[in-house]
Amino acid sequence: MSAKASPRVLISVRNTAEAAEALAGGATLLDVKEPSRGPLGAADAEVLRAVADAVGSRVLLSAACGELLEASDLPDLHGYWAAKVGLAGCGRTAWPERFTQLLATLRDRALQRRQIPERAPPPLARKPNLPVCPSLRTHAGPILVPVAYADWQIARAPAVDEVFRTALQHRWPAVMVDTWSKDGRCLFDFLSVSFLRSWSAYLRNRGVLLGLAGSLRPEHMPWVRQITPTIVAFRGAACLHRNRLASIARDR
């Protein structure tokens, strides 16, 4: 994406009904998760498949896959653009090695699937105008995205700048920042606009996509525009009564 491009909006949904509601509201990026299971609560495999079947090629899909320390394997993510894993509890662990192992498993599965003839082009080939960078254009299967937590001390996770540096060192194509605590505080209660703006430019210039989440609301958009991430993600702000455990509403 151009440095001057507006961030793309991603809406997190928990089932096919919410996916339909989000699409009716104009969403072009969907993330499938189960919010009752935590900030990156993984949806059941049947839900992931049902949403992919229902949405088809209309949007790019990502999936929340829980925390890295708990993710011994990943579900079938055929048709998904990305999978996200959180780094809660990883502050004093060799988490990059564990992440790399999980990434290798994901890539092996995708390569095995590519040996089976497809009836249609892969999602990225059908959506050239959606947010991709050169490192994604030839990627086999979904990318794996590490999610740094803005409230990393509370989550016992690695610091956000450590995650950014590690992503650059390993040439991972994308990284995301979210909040682990869902207690009414938002991303900007923990990280400054200047910190995120400088890192956003640094990552973008090196071809790394940056996504921002963390109880963001429409009134935060002036700050988000200053930061210029690739993707900005919402759940609670798109739900009835701004309650992330309520249902997605198209007019939100």
Side-chain angles (χ1 to χ4, degrees):
M1 292 184 67
S2 164
K4 298 182 179 179
S6 297
R8 299 299 300 267
V9 174
L10 177 149
I11 303 296
S12 291
V13 301
R14 72 198 312 174
N15 52 38
T16 55
E18 288 195 353
E21 196 72 6
L23 289 174
T28 57
L29 296 172
L30 296 182
D31 178 64
V32 185
K33 68 164 55 173
E34 178 43 63
S36 66
R37 296 174 180 169
L40 288 174
D44 293 335
E46 315 86 77
V47 173
L48 291 169
R49 178 53 35 218
V51 173
D53 290 343
V55 168
S57 62
R58 287 178 286 173
V59 296
L60 284 180
L61 284 174
S62 63
C65 294
E67 303 298 330
L68 178 62
L69 290 183
E70 303 167 356
S72 58
D73 196 6
L74 293 173
D76 179 10
L77 294 172
H78 181 56
Y80 281 75
W81 170 64
K84 304 179 303 178
V85 289
L87 302 179
C90 290
R92 296 182 180 274
T93 69
W95 69 269
E97 288 77 4
R98 189 180 182 96
F99 184 89
T100 301
Q101 291 171 0
L102 193 62
L103 175 59
T105 300
L106 187 65
R107 285 177 172 170
D108 288 345
R109 184 181 299 166
L111 289 172
Q112 291 173 5
R113 181 178 287 278
R114 288 184 68 187
Q115 296 175 5
I116 304 174
E118 298 282 355
R119 291 179 296 177
L124 286 179
R126 294 197 298 267
K127 307 179 183 72
N129 296 322
L130 289 173
V132 296
C133 68
S135 60
L136 299 187
R137 295 187 188 280
T138 58
H139 190 89
I143 63 171
L144 187 61
V145 182
V147 179
Y149 286 120
D151 50 346
W152 56 274
Q153 298 98 328
I154 302 172
R156 296 181 293 109
V160 175
D161 54 351
E162 177 189 335
V163 179
F164 289 162
R165 291 189 182 95
T166 304
L168 288 166
Q169 177 186 350
H170 289 270
R171 298 184 179 181
W172 295 333
V175 65
M176 191 165 191
V177 184
D178 200 345
T179 52
W180 183 78
S181 307
K182 301 301 179 182
D183 56 5
R185 289 178 290 180
C186 76
L187 175 73
F188 297 111
D189 289 316
F190 301 99
L191 298 175
S192 70
V193 172
S194 60
F195 171 86
L196 291 168
R197 182 174 60 234
S198 61
W199 268 110
S200 177
Y202 194 78
L203 293 167
R204 181 174 59 248
N205 290 338
R206 286 154 182 79
V208 178
L209 306 185
L210 173 64
L212 294 183
S215 300
L216 296 175
R217 300 185 296 275
E219 52 264 37
H220 295 133
M221 285 305 95
W223 290 347
V224 170
R225 290 191 183 97
Q226 291 181 46
I227 297 166
T228 326
T230 312
I231 293 171
V232 56
F234 297 93
R235 169 68 194 179
C239 290
L240 294 169
H241 313 299
R242 289 189 174 182
N243 180 352
R244 66 188 296 270
L245 298 181
S247 298
I248 294 289
R250 66 183 68 187
D251 61 343
R252 295 290 302 159

Coordinates of all heavy atoms in Angstrom, one line a residue, residues 9-96:
V9 N -10.3 -1.2 6.9 CA -11.1 -1.5 8.1 C -11.4 -3.0 8.1 O -11.9 -3.6 7.1 CB -12.4 -0.7 8.1 CG1 -13.2 -1.2 9.3 CG2 -12.1 0.7 8.3
L10 N -11.0 -3.7 9.2 CA -11.3 -5.1 9.4 C -12.3 -5.2 10.5 O -12.2 -4.6 11.5 CB -10.0 -5.8 9.7 CG -10.1 -7.3 10.1 CD1 -8.8 -8.0 9.7 CD2 -10.4 -7.6 11.5
I11 N -13.3 -6.1 10.3 CA -14.4 -6.3 11.3 C -14.3 -7.8 11.8 O -14.2 -8.7 10.9 CB -15.8 -6.1 10.7 CG1 -15.9 -4.6 10.2 CG2 -16.8 -6.3 11.8 CD1 -15.7 -3.6 11.3
S12 N -14.2 -8.0 13.1 CA -14.2 -9.3 13.6 C -15.6 -9.9 13.8 O -16.4 -9.2 14.4 CB -13.5 -9.3 15.0 OG -12.1 -9.1 14.8
V13 N -15.8 -11.1 13.3 CA -17.1 -11.7 13.4 C -17.0 -13.1 14.0 O -15.9 -13.7 14.0 CB -17.8 -11.8 12.0 CG1 -17.9 -10.4 11.4 CG2 -16.9 -12.7 11.1
R14 N -18.1 -13.6 14.6 CA -18.0 -14.9 15.3 C -18.8 -16.0 14.6 O -18.7 -17.2 15.0 CB -18.6 -14.7 16.7 CG -20.1 -14.5 16.8 CD -20.5 -14.0 18.1 NE -19.9 -14.6 19.3 CZ -20.1 -14.2 20.5 NH1 -20.9 -13.1 20.8 NH2 -19.6 -14.9 21.5
N15 N -19.5 -15.7 13.5 CA -20.3 -16.8 12.8 C -20.7 -16.2 11.4 O -20.5 -15.1 11.1 CB -21.5 -17.3 13.6 CG -22.3 -16.1 14.1 OD1 -22.6 -15.1 13.4 ND2 -22.8 -16.2 15.3
T16 N -21.5 -17.1 10.7 CA -21.9 -16.6 9.3 C -22.9 -15.5 9.4 O -22.9 -14.6 8.5 CB -22.5 -17.8 8.6 OG1 -23.6 -18.4 9.4 CG2 -21.5 -18.9 8.3
A17 N -23.8 -15.5 10.4 CA -24.8 -14.4 10.5 C -24.1 -13.1 10.7 O -24.5 -12.1 10.1 CB -25.7 -14.7 11.7
E18 N -23.1 -13.1 11.6 CA -22.4 -11.8 11.8 C -21.6 -11.4 10.5 O -21.4 -10.2 10.2 CB -21.4 -11.9 13.0 CG -22.2 -11.9 14.3 CD -21.3 -11.6 15.5 OE1 -20.0 -11.6 15.3 OE2 -21.8 -11.5 16.6
A19 N -21.0 -12.4 9.8 CA -20.3 -12.1 8.6 C -21.2 -11.4 7.6 O -20.9 -10.5 6.9 CB -19.7 -13.4 8.0
A20 N -22.5 -12.0 7.5 CA -23.4 -11.4 6.5 C -23.8 -10.0 7.0 O -23.9 -9.0 6.1 CB -24.7 -12.2 6.5
E21 N -23.9 -9.7 8.3 CA -24.2 -8.4 8.8 C -23.1 -7.4 8.5 O -23.3 -6.3 8.1 CB -24.5 -8.5 10.3 CG -25.2 -7.3 10.9 CD -26.7 -7.2 10.5 OE1 -27.2 -8.1 9.8 OE2 -27.3 -6.1 10.8
A22 N -21.9 -7.9 8.7 CA -20.7 -7.0 8.4 C -20.6 -6.7 6.9 O -20.3 -5.5 6.6 CB -19.4 -7.7 8.9
L23 N -20.8 -7.7 6.1 CA -20.8 -7.4 4.7 C -21.9 -6.4 4.2 O -21.6 -5.5 3.4 CB -20.9 -8.7 3.9 CG -19.8 -9.7 3.9 CD1 -20.1 -11.0 3.3 CD2 -18.5 -9.1 3.3
A24 N -23.0 -6.6 4.8 CA -24.1 -5.6 4.5 C -23.8 -4.2 5.0 O -24.2 -3.2 4.4 CB -25.4 -6.1 5.2
G25 N -22.9 -4.1 6.0 CA -22.5 -2.8 6.5 C -21.3 -2.2 5.7 O -20.8 -1.1 6.0
G26 N -20.8 -3.0 4.7 CA -19.7 -2.5 3.9 C -18.3 -3.0 4.2 O -17.3 -2.5 3.6
A27 N -18.2 -4.0 5.0 CA -16.9 -4.5 5.4 C -16.2 -5.2 4.2 O -16.9 -5.9 3.4 CB -17.0 -5.5 6.5
T28 N -14.9 -5.0 4.0 CA -14.2 -5.7 3.0 C -13.1 -6.6 3.5 O -12.4 -7.3 2.7 CB -13.5 -4.7 2.0 OG1 -12.7 -3.8 2.8 CG2 -14.6 -3.9 1.3
L29 N -12.9 -6.6 4.8 CA -11.9 -7.5 5.5 C -12.7 -8.1 6.7 O -13.2 -7.3 7.5 CB -10.7 -6.8 6.0 CG -9.8 -6.2 4.9 CD1 -8.7 -5.4 5.6 CD2 -9.1 -7.3 4.0
L30 N -12.6 -9.4 6.9 CA -13.3 -10.0 8.0 C -12.3 -10.9 8.7 O -11.5 -11.6 8.1 CB -14.5 -10.9 7.5 CG -15.7 -10.2 6.9 CD1 -16.7 -11.2 6.5 CD2 -16.2 -9.1 7.8
D31 N -12.4 -10.9 10.1 CA -11.6 -11.8 10.9 C -12.6 -12.6 11.7 O -13.5 -12.1 12.3 CB -10.8 -10.9 11.9 CG -10.0 -11.7 12.8 OD1 -9.1 -12.5 12.3 OD2 -10.2 -11.6 14.0
V32 N -12.4 -13.9 11.8 CA -13.2 -14.8 12.5 C -12.6 -15.2 13.8 O -11.5 -15.6 13.9 CB -13.5 -16.1 11.6 CG1 -14.5 -17.0 12.4 CG2 -14.0 -15.8 10.2
K33 N -13.4 -14.9 14.9 CA -12.9 -15.2 16.2 C -14.1 -15.5 17.1 O -15.3 -15.3 16.7 CB -12.2 -14.0 16.8 CG -13.0 -12.8 17.1 CD -12.4 -11.8 18.0 CE -11.0 -11.3 17.5 NZ -10.5 -10.2 18.4
E34 N -13.8 -16.0 18.3 CA -14.9 -16.2 19.3 C -14.5 -15.3 20.5 O -13.6 -15.7 21.3 CB -14.9 -17.7 19.8 CG -15.9 -18.0 20.9 CD -17.3 -17.2 20.7 OE1 -17.9 -17.5 19.7 OE2 -17.6 -16.4 21.5
P35 N -15.1 -14.2 20.6 CA -14.7 -13.2 21.6 C -14.8 -13.6 23.1 O -14.1 -13.1 24.0 CB -15.5 -11.9 21.3 CG -16.7 -12.5 20.5 CD -16.2 -13.6 19.8
S36 N -15.7 -14.6 23.3 CA -15.9 -15.0 24.7 C -14.7 -15.9 25.2 O -14.6 -16.1 26.4 CB -17.2 -15.9 24.8 OG -17.0 -17.1 24.1
R37 N -13.8 -16.2 24.3 CA -12.6 -17.0 24.6 C -11.3 -16.2 24.8 O -10.2 -16.8 24.8 CB -12.4 -18.1 23.6 CG -13.6 -19.1 23.5 CD -13.4 -20.1 22.3 NE -14.6 -21.0 22.3 CZ -14.8 -21.9 21.3 NH1 -14.0 -21.9 20.2 NH2 -15.9 -22.7 21.4
G38 N -11.5 -14.9 24.8 CA -10.3 -14.0 25.0 C -10.1 -13.1 23.9 O -10.8 -13.1 22.9
P39 N -9.0 -12.3 23.9 CA -8.8 -11.3 22.9 C -8.6 -11.9 21.5 O -8.9 -11.2 20.5 CB -7.5 -10.5 23.4 CG -6.9 -11.5 24.4 CD -8.0 -12.2 25.0
L40 N -8.0 -13.1 21.5 CA -7.8 -13.8 20.2 C -8.4 -15.1 20.2 O -7.9 -16.1 19.7 CB -6.3 -13.9 19.9 CG -5.6 -12.6 19.5 CD1 -4.1 -12.8 19.3 CD2 -6.2 -12.0 18.2
G41 N -9.6 -15.2 20.9 CA -10.3 -16.5 21.0 C -10.6 -17.2 19.7 O -11.1 -16.6 18.8
A42 N -10.1 -18.4 19.6 CA -10.3 -19.1 18.3 C -11.7 -19.7 18.2 O -12.3 -20.2 19.1 CB -9.3 -20.3 18.3
A43 N -12.3 -19.5 17.0 CA -13.6 -20.1 16.7 C -13.4 -21.6 16.4 O -12.3 -22.1 16.1 CB -14.2 -19.4 15.4
D44 N -14.5 -22.3 16.5 CA -14.5 -23.7 16.2 C -14.2 -24.0 14.7 O -14.5 -23.1 13.9 CB -15.8 -24.4 16.6 CG -16.0 -24.4 18.1 OD1 -15.0 -24.4 18.8 OD2 -17.2 -24.5 18.5
A45 N -13.6 -25.1 14.4 CA -13.2 -25.4 13.0 C -14.4 -25.4 12.1 O -14.3 -24.9 11.0 CB -12.6 -26.8 12.9
E46 N -15.6 -25.8 12.6 CA -16.8 -25.8 11.8 C -17.2 -24.4 11.4 O -17.7 -24.1 10.3 CB -18.0 -26.5 12.5 CG -17.6 -27.8 13.1 CD -17.1 -27.7 14.5 OE1 -17.9 -27.5 15.5 OE2 -15.8 -27.8 14.7
V47 N -17.0 -23.5 12.4 CA -17.4 -22.1 12.1 C -16.5 -21.4 11.1 O -16.9 -20.7 10.2 CB -17.3 -21.3 13.5 CG1 -17.5 -19.8 13.2 CG2 -18.4 -21.8 14.4
L48 N -15.2 -21.7 11.2 CA -14.2 -21.2 10.3 C -14.5 -21.7 8.9 O -14.5 -20.9 7.9 CB -12.8 -21.7 10.6 CG -12.2 -21.1 11.9 CD1 -10.9 -21.8 12.3 CD2 -11.9 -19.6 11.7
R49 N -14.9 -22.9 8.7 CA -15.2 -23.4 7.4 C -16.5 -22.9 6.9 O -16.6 -22.5 5.7 CB -15.3 -25.0 7.5 CG -15.7 -25.7 6.2 CD -14.8 -25.3 5.0 NE -13.4 -25.1 5.3 CZ -12.7 -24.1 4.8 NH1 -13.2 -23.3 3.9 NH2 -11.4 -24.0 5.1
A50 N -17.5 -22.7 7.8 CA -18.8 -22.2 7.3 C -18.7 -20.8 6.9 O -19.3 -20.4 5.9 CB -19.8 -22.3 8.5
V51 N -17.9 -19.9 7.6 CA -17.7 -18.5 7.2 C -17.0 -18.5 5.8 O -17.4 -17.7 4.9 CB -17.0 -17.7 8.2 CG1 -16.7 -16.3 7.7 CG2 -17.8 -17.6 9.5
A52 N -16.0 -19.3 5.6 CA -15.2 -19.3 4.4 C -16.1 -19.7 3.2 O -16.1 -19.1 2.1 CB -14.0 -20.2 4.5
D53 N -17.0 -20.7 3.5 CA -17.9 -21.2 2.4 C -18.9 -20.1 2.1 O -19.3 -19.9 0.9 CB -18.6 -22.4 2.8 CG -17.7 -23.6 2.9 OD1 -16.6 -23.5 2.3 OD2 -18.0 -24.7 3.5
A54 N -19.4 -19.4 3.1 CA -20.5 -18.4 2.9 C -19.9 -17.1 2.3 O -20.6 -16.5 1.4 CB -21.1 -18.0 4.3
V55 N -18.7 -16.7 2.6 CA -18.1 -15.5 2.1 C -17.5 -15.7 0.7 O -17.6 -14.8 -0.1 CB -17.1 -15.0 3.1 CG1 -16.3 -13.8 2.5 CG2 -17.7 -14.5 4.4
G56 N -17.0 -16.8 0.5 CA -16.4 -17.1 -0.8 C -15.2 -16.1 -1.1 O -14.4 -15.9 -0.2
S57 N -15.2 -15.5 -2.3 CA -14.1 -14.7 -2.7 C -14.4 -13.2 -2.5 O -13.6 -12.3 -3.0 CB -13.7 -14.9 -4.1 OG -14.8 -14.6 -5.0
R58 N -15.5 -12.8 -1.8 CA -15.9 -11.4 -1.7 C -14.9 -10.6 -0.9 O -14.8 -9.4 -1.1 CB -17.3 -11.3 -1.2 CG -18.4 -11.8 -2.2 CD -19.7 -11.7 -1.6 NE -20.0 -12.8 -0.6 CZ -21.1 -12.9 0.1 NH1 -22.0 -11.9 0.1 NH2 -21.2 -13.9 1.0
V59 N -14.3 -11.2 0.1 CA -13.4 -10.4 1.0 C -12.2 -11.3 1.4 O -12.2 -12.5 1.2 CB -14.2 -10.0 2.3 CG1 -15.3 -9.0 2.1 CG2 -14.7 -11.2 3.1
L60 N -11.2 -10.6 2.0 CA -10.1 -11.4 2.6 C -10.5 -11.8 4.0 O -11.1 -11.0 4.7 CB -8.9 -10.5 2.6 CG -8.1 -10.3 1.3 CD1 -6.9 -9.4 1.6 CD2 -7.6 -11.6 0.7
L61 N -10.2 -13.0 4.3 CA -10.5 -13.6 5.6 C -9.2 -13.8 6.5 O -8.2 -14.3 5.9 CB -11.2 -14.9 5.5 CG -12.7 -14.9 5.1 CD1 -13.2 -16.3 4.8 CD2 -13.6 -14.2 6.1
S62 N -9.3 -13.5 7.7 CA -8.3 -13.9 8.7 C -9.0 -14.6 9.8 O -10.2 -14.6 10.0 CB -7.5 -12.7 9.2 OG -8.3 -11.8 9.9
A63 N -8.2 -15.3 10.6 CA -8.7 -16.1 11.7 C -7.8 -15.9 13.0 O -6.6 -16.0 12.9 CB -8.7 -17.6 11.4
A64 N -8.5 -15.6 14.1 CA -7.8 -15.6 15.4 C -7.6 -17.0 15.8 O -8.5 -17.8 15.8 CB -8.7 -14.8 16.4
C65 N -6.4 -17.3 16.3 CA -6.1 -18.7 16.6 C -5.5 -18.9 18.0 O -4.7 -19.8 18.3 CB -5.1 -19.3 15.6 SG -5.7 -19.5 13.9
G66 N -6.0 -18.0 18.9 CA -5.6 -18.1 20.3 C -4.2 -17.6 20.6 O -3.6 -16.8 19.8
E67 N -3.6 -18.0 21.7 CA -2.3 -17.6 22.1 C -1.2 -18.6 21.7 O -1.5 -19.8 21.6 CB -2.2 -17.5 23.6 CG -3.3 -16.5 24.2 CD -3.1 -15.1 23.7 OE1 -1.9 -14.7 23.4 OE2 -4.1 -14.3 23.6
L68 N -0.1 -18.1 21.3 CA 1.0 -19.0 20.8 C 1.3 -20.1 21.8 O 1.6 -21.2 21.3 CB 2.2 -18.1 20.6 CG 3.5 -18.8 20.0 CD1 3.2 -19.5 18.7 CD2 4.7 -17.9 19.9
L69 N 1.3 -19.9 23.1 CA 1.7 -20.9 24.0 C 0.7 -22.0 24.0 O 1.0 -23.1 24.5 CB 1.9 -20.3 25.4 CG 3.1 -19.4 25.6 CD1 3.1 -18.9 27.1 CD2 4.4 -20.1 25.2
E70 N -0.5 -21.8 23.6 CA -1.6 -22.8 23.6 C -1.8 -23.4 22.2 O -2.5 -24.4 22.1 CB -2.9 -22.2 24.1 CG -2.8 -21.5 25.4 CD -4.0 -20.6 25.8 OE1 -4.8 -20.5 24.9 OE2 -4.0 -20.1 26.9
A71 N -1.2 -22.8 21.2 CA -1.5 -23.2 19.8 C -0.5 -24.3 19.4 O 0.5 -24.0 18.7 CB -1.4 -22.0 18.9
S72 N -0.8 -25.5 19.7 CA 0.1 -26.6 19.3 C -0.1 -27.0 17.8 O 0.8 -27.5 17.2 CB -0.2 -27.9 20.1 OG -1.5 -28.3 20.0
D73 N -1.2 -26.6 17.3 CA -1.6 -26.8 15.9 C -2.6 -25.8 15.5 O -3.1 -25.1 16.3 CB -2.1 -28.2 15.7 CG -2.1 -28.6 14.2 OD1 -1.5 -27.9 13.4 OD2 -2.6 -29.7 13.8
L74 N -2.8 -25.7 14.2 CA -3.8 -24.7 13.6 C -4.8 -25.5 12.9 O -4.6 -26.5 12.3 CB -3.1 -23.7 12.7 CG -2.1 -22.8 13.4 CD1 -1.4 -21.9 12.3 CD2 -2.8 -21.8 14.4
P75 N -6.1 -24.9 12.8 CA -7.1 -25.6 12.1 C -6.9 -25.5 10.6 O -6.0 -24.8 10.1 CB -8.4 -24.8 12.5 CG -7.9 -23.5 12.9 CD -6.5 -23.7 13.5
D76 N -7.7 -26.1 9.8 CA -7.7 -26.0 8.4 C -8.1 -24.6 8.0 O -9.2 -24.1 8.3 CB -8.6 -27.0 7.7 CG -8.7 -26.9 6.2 OD1 -7.8 -26.2 5.6 OD2 -9.5 -27.5 5.6
L77 N -7.2 -23.8 7.4 CA -7.5 -22.4 7.0 C -7.5 -22.2 5.5 O -7.1 -21.1 5.1 CB -6.4 -21.5 7.7 CG -6.4 -21.5 9.2 CD1 -5.2 -20.8 9.8 CD2 -7.7 -20.9 9.7
H78 N -7.9 -23.2 4.8 CA -8.1 -23.0 3.4 C -9.0 -21.9 3.1 O -10.1 -21.9 3.6 CB -8.6 -24.3 2.7 CG -8.7 -24.3 1.2 ND1 -7.6 -23.9 0.4 CD2 -9.8 -24.5 0.4 CE1 -8.1 -23.9 -0.8 NE2 -9.3 -24.3 -0.9
G79 N -8.6 -21.0 2.2 CA -9.5 -19.8 1.9 C -9.2 -18.6 2.8 O -9.8 -17.6 2.5
Y80 N -8.3 -18.8 3.8 CA -8.0 -17.7 4.6 C -6.7 -17.0 4.2 O -5.7 -17.7 3.8 CB -7.9 -18.1 6.1 CG -9.3 -18.3 6.7 CD1 -10.0 -19.4 6.4 CD2 -9.8 -17.4 7.6 CE1 -11.3 -19.6 7.0 CE2 -11.0 -17.5 8.2 CZ -11.8 -18.6 7.9 OH -13.0 -18.8 8.4
W81 N -6.7 -15.7 4.4 CA -5.5 -14.9 4.0 C -4.5 -14.9 5.1 O -3.2 -14.9 4.9 CB -5.9 -13.5 3.7 CG -4.8 -12.5 3.5 CD1 -3.8 -12.5 2.6 CD2 -4.6 -11.3 4.4 NE1 -3.0 -11.4 2.7 CE2 -3.4 -10.7 3.8 CE3 -5.2 -10.8 5.5 CZ2 -2.9 -9.5 4.4 CZ3 -4.7 -9.6 6.0 CH2 -3.5 -9.0 5.5
A82 N -4.9 -14.9 6.4 CA -4.0 -14.8 7.5 C -4.5 -15.5 8.7 O -5.8 -15.7 8.9 CB -3.8 -13.3 7.9
A83 N -3.6 -16.0 9.6 CA -3.9 -16.5 10.9 C -3.2 -15.7 11.9 O -2.0 -15.3 11.7 CB -3.5 -18.0 11.0
K84 N -3.8 -15.4 13.1 CA -3.2 -14.5 14.1 C -3.0 -15.3 15.4 O -3.9 -16.0 15.8 CB -4.0 -13.3 14.4 CG -4.3 -12.4 13.1 CD -5.2 -11.2 13.5 CE -6.4 -11.7 14.2 NZ -7.3 -10.5 14.6
V85 N -1.9 -15.2 16.0 CA -1.6 -15.8 17.3 C -1.1 -14.7 18.3 O -0.2 -13.9 17.9 CB -0.7 -17.0 17.3 CG1 -1.3 -18.2 16.6 CG2 0.6 -16.6 16.6
G86 N -1.6 -14.7 19.5 CA -1.2 -13.7 20.5 C 0.0 -14.2 21.3 O 0.4 -15.4 21.3
L87 N 0.7 -13.3 21.9 CA 2.0 -13.6 22.6 C 1.8 -13.5 24.1 O 2.9 -13.3 24.8 CB 3.1 -12.7 22.1 CG 3.3 -12.7 20.6 CD1 4.4 -11.8 20.2 CD2 3.7 -14.2 20.2
A88 N 0.6 -13.6 24.7 CA 0.5 -13.6 26.1 C 1.3 -14.7 26.8 O 1.3 -15.8 26.3 CB -1.0 -13.7 26.5
G89 N 2.0 -14.4 27.8 CA 2.8 -15.3 28.6 C 4.1 -15.6 28.0 O 4.9 -16.4 28.5
C90 N 4.4 -15.0 26.8 CA 5.7 -15.3 26.1 C 6.9 -14.4 26.5 O 7.9 -14.5 25.9 CB 5.5 -15.2 24.6 SG 4.4 -16.5 23.9
G91 N 6.6 -13.5 27.5 CA 7.7 -12.6 27.8 C 9.0 -13.1 28.1 O 10.1 -12.6 27.8
R92 N 9.0 -14.3 28.8 CA 10.3 -14.9 29.2 C 10.5 -16.2 28.5 O 11.2 -17.1 29.1 CB 10.3 -15.1 30.8 CG 10.2 -13.8 31.5 CD 10.3 -14.0 33.0 NE 10.3 -12.7 33.8 CZ 11.3 -12.0 34.0 NH1 12.5 -12.4 33.7 NH2 11.2 -10.8 34.7
T93 N 10.0 -16.4 27.3 CA 10.2 -17.6 26.6 C 10.9 -17.4 25.3 O 11.0 -16.2 24.8 CB 8.8 -18.3 26.3 OG1 8.1 -17.4 25.3 CG2 8.0 -18.4 27.6
A94 N 11.3 -18.5 24.6 CA 11.9 -18.4 23.3 C 10.8 -18.4 22.3 O 10.7 -19.3 21.4 CB 12.9 -19.5 23.1
W95 N 9.9 -17.4 22.4 CA 8.8 -17.4 21.5 C 9.0 -17.3 20.0 O 8.3 -17.9 19.2 CB 7.8 -16.2 22.0 CG 8.3 -14.9 21.7 CD1 9.0 -14.1 22.5 CD2 8.1 -14.1 20.5 NE1 9.3 -12.9 21.9 CE2 8.7 -12.9 20.7 CE3 7.4 -14.3 19.3 CZ2 8.8 -11.9 19.7 CZ3 7.5 -13.4 18.3 CH2 8.1 -12.1 18.5
P96 N 10.1 -16.6 19.5 CA 10.3 -16.6 18.1 C 10.5 -18.0 17.5 O 10.1 -18.3 16.4 CB 11.6 -15.7 17.9 CG 11.6 -14.8 19.1 CD 11.1 -15.7 20.2

